[in-house]
Amino acid sequence: MEPVAYAARSTNDSVGAALLIMLNLPFALIGGTLALWITHSNFNISAAVGYIAVFGVSVLNGVVLVSSIRQAHAEGLGVRDAIVRGCHIRFRPIIVSGIVAVIGFLPAALSTGIGSEIQKPLARVVVGGLISSTLLTLL
């Protein structure tokens, strides 16, 4: 009987963790959409690809954070203390991964040369989405 109870509890924990990780996606969507709106850029296929890239990074940040929180909770900390400790431990890696990607896409987001009309929406979505997703994930 005990393995069945553990499996059910484990499945519920997995579903909750997956939903918590997927909660990051609207944060990325907000930032990418605001970036397009502020820069008066149109939504096109390039911007859609940018959303896919931002969603990937956002989910990765969520997985890193949730795994750190689960590890702290498994070590015997309460839920609140585990969340604080997980965010404290993973704050720097999440911020650095977001900053690196934003810095990498800034030249494409600000370019004005030939072909820039294709790459600008993608880069602007990624920059805006990563800024909002990175900051709001840690909240």
Side-chain angles (χ1 to χ4, degrees), residues 31-43 47 51 121 124-125:
T33 304
L34 279 175
L36 287 176
W37 181 68
I38 289 170
T39 60
H40 303 290
S41 298
N42 294 324
F43 179 79
Y51 279 115
R124 289 175 177 171
V125 165

Side-chain angles (χ1 to χ4, degrees), residues 1 8-9 19 34 37 43 48 53-54 63 70 73 77 107 120 134 136:
M1 283 293 168
R9 185 171 38 121
L19 290 175
L34 279 175
W37 181 68
F43 179 79
V54 169
V63 167
R70 285 180 129 189
H73 188 62
L77 292 176
K120 273 198 235 182
T134 301
L136 293 174

Side-chain angles (χ1 to χ4, degrees), residues 57 61 91-107 126-127 130-131 134-135:
V57 175
N61 285 343
F91 175 78
R92 192 176 310 154
I94 290 173
I95 292 292
V96 168
S97 70
I99 289 173
V100 166
V102 166
I103 290 172
F105 275 101
L106 272 179
V126 170
V127 169
L130 282 177
I131 289 171
T134 301
L135 295 177

Side-chain angles (χ1 to χ4, degrees), residues 22-116:
M22 293 301 167
L23 187 64
N24 291 330
L25 297 182
F27 298 152
L29 188 67
I30 290 168
T33 304
L34 279 175
L36 287 176
W37 181 68
I38 289 170
T39 60
H40 303 290
S41 298
N42 294 324
F43 179 79
N44 56 20
I45 297 297
S46 179
V49 171
Y51 279 115
I52 293 169
V54 169
F55 290 167
V57 175
S58 180
V59 166
L60 178 66
N61 285 343
V63 167
V64 167
L65 189 60
V66 167
S67 68
S68 179
I69 292 169
R70 285 180 129 189
Q71 181 181 2
H73 188 62
E75 292 173 0
L77 292 176
V79 174
R80 182 172 173 79
D81 292 333
I83 291 170
V84 170
R85 181 174 176 202
C87 289
H88 184 264
I89 290 171
R90 294 298 176 194
F91 175 78
R92 192 176 310 154
I94 290 173
I95 292 292
V96 168
S97 70
I99 289 173
V100 166
V102 166
I103 290 172
F105 275 101
L106 272 179
L110 302 174
S111 66
T112 58
I114 296 172
S116 65

